[in-house]
Amino acid sequence: MALKIAVLSQKGGTGKTTAVRHLADTFRRAGLRIAAVDLDPQGNLSDYFDVAADAEPTIRDVLVGAVKAKAALHVAPDGVSVIPSNLQLAEAEVALAGKMGRELTLRKALKPIEDDFDVIFLDCPPNLGLLTVNALVAADQALLSAEAQYFALQGVEQALEVIELARDGLNPDLGWLGVVFTIADMRTVHSREAQASLKEHVGDKLLDTVVRQSIAYAESAERAVSIIDHRPDLGADYLALADELLGRLQLTDARKQLRPLLDASGNGASAR
């Protein structure tokens, strides 16, 4: 049965969708069968995976019960299976608000495909509303993204409150995988102080790997290619992050398969 990981942030611009795209790619390179569900009406993850803007069906159709999840899977050029999104998802969220058991909708919808994948990433919208709660109720683990800026801690605390809400009677087994520190320029005092503040409050839940800031991520998104192929030097950050997460998830075989790529990137020694 697939391990489901919800990736969330309380606001946009924290590198959340970029993290989902590249963790899906690195986990795939580690030999895992990967799916990604785009729960953001903006559809940025779908676009990043080069899924056509008019692709149908979408996660909206799944959530309203028009189709089964398997019918909404689209295989991206790099081999990751994606359930895409578009602006119509916003209408579905309104429809869900008046539904009995609305928080369980995504969990029930994903059950038929759980045996087809090893890991399913859930890319939450940049808010802490009903779609995010659905993702957390469906998930086994929550992963937070935090931008290297002053309000990072406040955003993490707000997201943790929603995780507790999801645990309270809806998904008591939901785990908190950690916080990814993204869009960081560790040469600046500001980034270092933001990281230190997060570390003080969340301890070892703050992942060691820091994802560096670069315009190359926007370039790779525009070209719909992984940063590992577009800029291997920056892709090394996500290989190291994947290695760290695979270790926390105890996916030992996948971690071993990732090792040659990690060593080739120059991060192998530090990750040991």
Side-chain angles (χ1 to χ4, degrees), residues 17 38 40-49 123:
T17 295
D38 190 350
D40 186 347
Q42 297 177 86
N44 291 335
L45 182 68
S46 308
D47 187 47
Y48 212 156
F49 274 114
D123 182 31

Side-chain angles (χ1 to χ4, degrees), residues 7-23 38 40 45 122-127 143-146 182-183 238:
V7 185
L8 67 149
S9 171
Q10 100 292 359
K11 68 180 187 69
T14 66
K16 171 187 57 63
T17 295
T18 299
V20 174
R21 196 267 181 261
H22 293 105
L23 287 173
D38 190 350
D40 186 347
L45 182 68
L122 309 174
D123 182 31
C124 300
N127 59 60
L143 178 65
L144 310 185
S145 66
T182 63
I183 318 178
Y238 273 103

Side-chain angles (χ1 to χ4, degrees), residues 16 28 35 68 78 123 181 183 191 198 206 264:
K16 171 187 57 63
R28 177 191 62 82
K68 300 296 184 184
D78 67 1
D123 182 31
F181 198 60
I183 318 178
S191 287
L198 268 177
L206 180 63

Side-chain angles (χ1 to χ4, degrees), residues 16-176:
K16 171 187 57 63
T17 295
T18 299
V20 174
R21 196 267 181 261
H22 293 105
L23 287 173
D25 180 46
T26 49
F27 275 42
R28 177 191 62 82
R29 293 176 193 237
L32 298 170
R33 299 170 300 162
I34 302 298
V37 181
D38 190 350
L39 289 167
D40 186 347
Q42 297 177 86
N44 291 335
L45 182 68
S46 308
D47 187 47
Y48 212 156
F49 274 114
D50 203 21
V51 176
D54 59 353
E56 293 184 346
T58 68
I59 189 61
R60 177 261 178 200
D61 302 301
V62 175
L63 292 175
V64 301
V67 300
K68 300 296 184 184
K70 193 163 190 174
L73 289 166
H74 300 258
V75 181
D78 67 1
V80 172
S81 294
V82 180
I83 299 182
S85 175
N86 57 35
L87 287 173
Q88 291 182 343
L89 179 57
E91 301 172 11
E93 184 174 18
V94 174
L96 281 178
K99 180 181 174 183
M100 287 286 290
R102 55 190 176 272
E103 298 91 351
L104 303 172
T105 306
L106 183 62
R107 176 197 282 182
K108 293 176 180 177
L110 293 180
K111 277 193 179 299
I113 66 169
E114 287 185 359
D115 289 336
D116 299 329
F117 300 98
D118 298 307
V119 179
I120 299 175
F121 286 99
L122 309 174
D123 182 31
C124 300
N127 59 60
L128 302 176
L130 183 55
L131 289 172
T132 296
V133 172
N134 257 266
L136 292 172
V137 172
D140 302 295
Q141 297 284 345
L143 178 65
L144 310 185
S145 66
E147 184 183 2
Q149 52 99 347
Y150 179 73
F151 293 107
L153 177 60
Q154 181 183 8
V156 168
E157 289 176 338
Q158 291 171 351
L160 288 175
E161 290 176 4
V162 178
I163 290 174
E164 285 304 316
L165 174 65
R167 282 175 173 159
D168 186 15
L170 295 170
N171 188 7
D173 296 325
L174 176 64
W176 174 28

